[in-house]
Amino acid sequence: MAGLQQTNSEMILLSWVRQSTRNYPQVNVTNFTTSWSDGLAFNALLHSHRPDLFDWNTVASQPSPVQRLDHAFNIARQHLGIEKLLDPE
């Protein structure tokens, strides 16, 4: 039963992320692993809730996934108080 609860919670969270990022055509979140590797999903999620923090087009046009991930982690830490627990590398 605990496994079913976790799966259901993950599906609800995934649905919320998809809903939050639906207006970003470059972003297609289908899971919690590979969908986040290019940095676009994390930035889109942040931007969908706080568009005042950065220009989406500037971030989306950055050539490096590491740059985009680093940007998202820094915005989350500086403006939302979310500590950086992972390294973009």
Side-chain angles (χ1 to χ4, degrees), residues 8 10 15 18 24 30 32 36 40 46-47 51 54 56 60 62-63 71 83-84:
N8 192 36
E10 288 174 358
S15 177
R18 291 178 60 91
Y24 299 84
T30 58
F32 288 112
W36 300 85
L40 290 173
L46 292 170
H47 191 262
F54 62 93
W56 167 255
Q62 289 179 336
H71 176 267
E83 289 301 317
K84 183 177 173 182

Side-chain angles (χ1 to χ4, degrees), residues 3-73:
L4 182 60
Q5 172 97 22
Q6 181 178 6
T7 302
N8 192 36
S9 298
E10 288 174 358
M11 294 305 293
I12 291 169
L13 183 58
L14 186 62
S15 177
W16 174 78
V17 169
R18 291 178 60 91
Q19 180 71 19
S20 296
T21 60
R22 74 180 183 282
N23 293 326
Y24 299 84
Q26 306 97 316
V27 178
N28 182 26
V29 178
T30 58
N31 58 52
F32 288 112
T33 55
T34 58
S35 293
W36 300 85
S37 62
D38 65 3
L40 290 173
F42 192 8
N43 277 290
L45 187 60
L46 292 170
H47 191 262
S48 72
H49 294 285
R50 290 290 307 274
D52 58 304
L53 294 179
F54 62 93
D55 177 62
W56 167 255
N57 292 321
T58 300
V59 171
S61 67
Q62 289 179 336
S64 165
V66 173
Q67 286 176 309
R68 291 189 295 265
L69 285 164
D70 195 46
H71 176 267
F73 283 123

